[in-house]
Amino acid sequence: MAAALAFSCGGPKTAGPELLPAENFDTTVNNVPVKLYTLKNADVTMQVTNYGGRVVTLFTPDKNGAFADIVVGRKSIAEYLNPDGERFLGACVGPVANRISGASFTVDGVEYNVPANDNGVNTLHSGLVGFDNIAWEVAEATDERVVFHYLRPDGFEGYPGNLDVTMTYSLTADNEFRVDYSATTDKATPVNISHHSFFNLKGEGNGDVTGYEMTINASAYTPIDELSIPFGENDSVEGTPFDFRTPHVIGERIGQTDNVQIKNAKGYDHNWVLDRKTENEVESACTVWDKETGRFMEVLTDQPGIQFYSGNFFSGQGIGVSGKPMEFRCCLALETQHFPDSPNQPAFPSVILQPGEKYSHVCVYRFSVK
């Protein structure tokens, strides 16, 4: 494959992005003003709202310089407040991303119960009111970054500790969308925050993701049961549909329903255990390439895992910014994080944040063409 090229090295540019009107998002949620913010740097333009820290649109050019919105979003705040279909579009998910088995966990000998919003048994992305559906305070907003802040009170939805979270979205001169998280607590509590944009490199509403070529820098993944709860150990990707150490087209093996893991998730919806070279540095986790448009996305992080979800539960319910329905596998999510159900899995890296400690997490989505 040819090396990825920066957008600025490509051909002549066409007309720029068609942005959503900011007034579509003007409202108040729990006495906090909600707005739509537009960021621009290099060849990337992004619109975000402080309701859930959601990325609403994200425009990048293709190999011919034509811009398209490559995330799935909604046209107005009303559609996020009363969603038809997928709840987590473009949002920050936390304080504990992914699943918690039995909707409970124990910290320092105390059992905590949280909402069972997943199959009536488990907790998904923290419960009924997670970071995705609260209005974040905006501490700073410039043309290139927005700094969000939220203080989750002790006991809210069953989670211990006053958790003080700062989250920064920035666009860099290298055509990167970068997310920086930090958090502190006054009581031991699980913290595993992630970002949940859904990407379609052809442009939102323009077909499915099965033709994309993917790599994931991981020699192991986390098997799950039929309710997407891990068994507590990781397996080698060798000889399985989960081996993306060399480039594979997503659709090449996604239909292997004789594989129990593909069957359990109805495709890909698993954690990959990244082959990290360092303990805390930001490293490449995966790449996705759409040959048709030339758009190439690399995901980098300092976290131990990445959840790849291939849009298996989209069914045409819900309409995106383009006016087209959100069809089966219309997009994919790549969520850098710790492993699912970590509060209940002693063999996994701990996600318990102690008083006096600082949680930090970096996730970078880097865009180019090739």
Side-chain angles (χ1 to χ4, degrees), residues 3-7 10 61-63 289 293-296 367-370:
L5 300 175
F7 294 133
D62 66 8
K63 60 188 177 183
W289 180 44
T293 64
R295 288 192 179 91
F296 183 85
F367 305 101
S368 57
V369 294
K370 63 188 294 182

Side-chain angles (χ1 to χ4, degrees), residues 263-282:
K263 182 178 179 181
N264 282 349
K266 298 180 173 59
Y268 294 112
D269 190 8
H270 295 76
N271 172 70
W272 271 256
V273 181
L274 296 174
D275 292 336
R276 295 190 52 81
K277 299 176 182 178
T278 65
E279 185 175 354
N280 297 311
E281 298 300 315
V282 176

Side-chain angles (χ1 to χ4, degrees), residues 96-97 99-101 104-107 190-192 339-346 348-352:
V96 183
R99 288 169 172 85
I100 298 175
S101 62
S104 67
F105 56 87
T106 299
V107 179
V191 182
N192 183 26
F339 305 164
D341 197 33
S342 287
N344 294 314
Q345 304 288 349
F348 290 173
S350 176
V351 296
I352 303 302

Side-chain angles (χ1 to χ4, degrees), residues 198-266:
F198 289 89
F199 296 95
N200 184 323
L201 298 185
K202 289 184 173 66
E204 185 262 318
N206 292 336
D208 65 40
V209 301
T210 56
Y212 299 170
E213 185 176 274
M214 170 172 276
T215 67
I216 304 178
N217 299 330
S219 300
Y221 77 105
T222 306
I224 54 173
D225 65 18
E226 63 277 4
L227 294 182
S228 296
I229 299 300
F231 302 112
E233 56 188 29
N234 300 310
D235 281 355
S236 171
V237 300
E238 184 74 34
T240 76
F242 299 87
D243 191 350
F244 285 93
R245 290 174 295 179
T246 57
H248 284 274
V249 173
I250 291 172
E252 178 185 339
R253 301 167 296 178
I254 201 170
Q256 293 184 11
T257 53
D258 56 334
N259 180 287
V260 68
Q261 288 301 306
I262 292 289
K263 182 178 179 181
N264 282 349
K266 298 180 173 59

Side-chain angles (χ1 to χ4, degrees), residues 19 29 55 91 94 103 122 138 146 157 171 173 188 214 217-218 234 249 261 265 286 302-303 325 329 349 352 370:
L19 301 178
V29 175
V55 175
N122 304 311
V138 176
V146 181
E157 292 245 298
L171 296 182
M214 170 172 276
N217 299 330
N234 300 310
V249 173
Q261 288 301 306
C286 80
D302 57 359
Q303 297 296 287
R329 294 192 177 136
I352 303 302
K370 63 188 294 182

Side-chain angles (χ1 to χ4, degrees), residues 100-325:
I100 298 175
S101 62
S104 67
F105 56 87
T106 299
V107 179
D108 294 339
V110 179
E111 181 177 305
Y112 296 92
N113 296 301
V114 291
N117 65 321
D118 186 38
N119 291 297
V121 178
N122 304 311
T123 302
L124 175 62
H125 294 325
S126 298
L128 300 175
V129 184
F131 288 172
D132 63 294
N133 49 17
I134 56 97
W136 294 69
E137 298 175 355
V138 176
E140 178 186 343
T142 70
D143 291 341
E144 298 174 359
R145 74 174 192 162
V146 181
V147 180
F148 303 100
H149 175 259
Y150 177 59
L151 178 62
R152 189 209 62 191
D154 181 27
F156 186 73
E157 292 245 298
Y159 293 90
N162 291 292
L163 186 68
D164 196 322
V165 185
T166 298
M167 176 174 69
T168 301
Y169 287 0
S170 56
L171 296 182
T172 77
D174 295 321
N175 291 308
E176 297 170 336
F177 165 38
R178 177 179 172 123
V179 186
D180 290 86
Y181 307 92
S182 65
T184 58
T185 182
D186 60 1
K187 186 184 295 184
T189 191
V191 182
N192 183 26
I193 310 171
S194 191
H195 182 75
H196 213 308
S197 276
F198 289 89
F199 296 95
N200 184 323
L201 298 185
K202 289 184 173 66
E204 185 262 318
N206 292 336
D208 65 40
V209 301
T210 56
Y212 299 170
E213 185 176 274
M214 170 172 276
T215 67
I216 304 178
N217 299 330
S219 300
Y221 77 105
T222 306
I224 54 173
D225 65 18
E226 63 277 4
L227 294 182
S228 296
I229 299 300
F231 302 112
E233 56 188 29
N234 300 310
D235 281 355
S236 171
V237 300
E238 184 74 34
T240 76
F242 299 87
D243 191 350
F244 285 93
R245 290 174 295 179
T246 57
H248 284 274
V249 173
I250 291 172
E252 178 185 339
R253 301 167 296 178
I254 201 170
Q256 293 184 11
T257 53
D258 56 334
N259 180 287
V260 68
Q261 288 301 306
I262 292 289
K263 182 178 179 181
N264 282 349
K266 298 180 173 59
Y268 294 112
D269 190 8
H270 295 76
N271 172 70
W272 271 256
V273 181
L274 296 174
D275 292 336
R276 295 190 52 81
K277 299 176 182 178
T278 65
E279 185 175 354
N280 297 311
E281 298 300 315
V282 176
E283 301 177 11
S284 181
C286 80
T287 65
V288 186
W289 180 44
D290 174 41
K291 185 177 181 179
E292 181 180 330
T293 64
R295 288 192 179 91
F296 183 85
M297 180 172 70
E298 182 179 14
V299 184
L300 305 95
T301 189
D302 57 359
Q303 297 296 287
I306 186 168
Q307 185 89 5
F308 164 38
Y309 169 55
S310 54
N312 313 317
F313 295 99
F314 285 88
S315 62
Q317 187 179 15
I319 302 298
V321 169
S322 67
K324 299 175 184 177

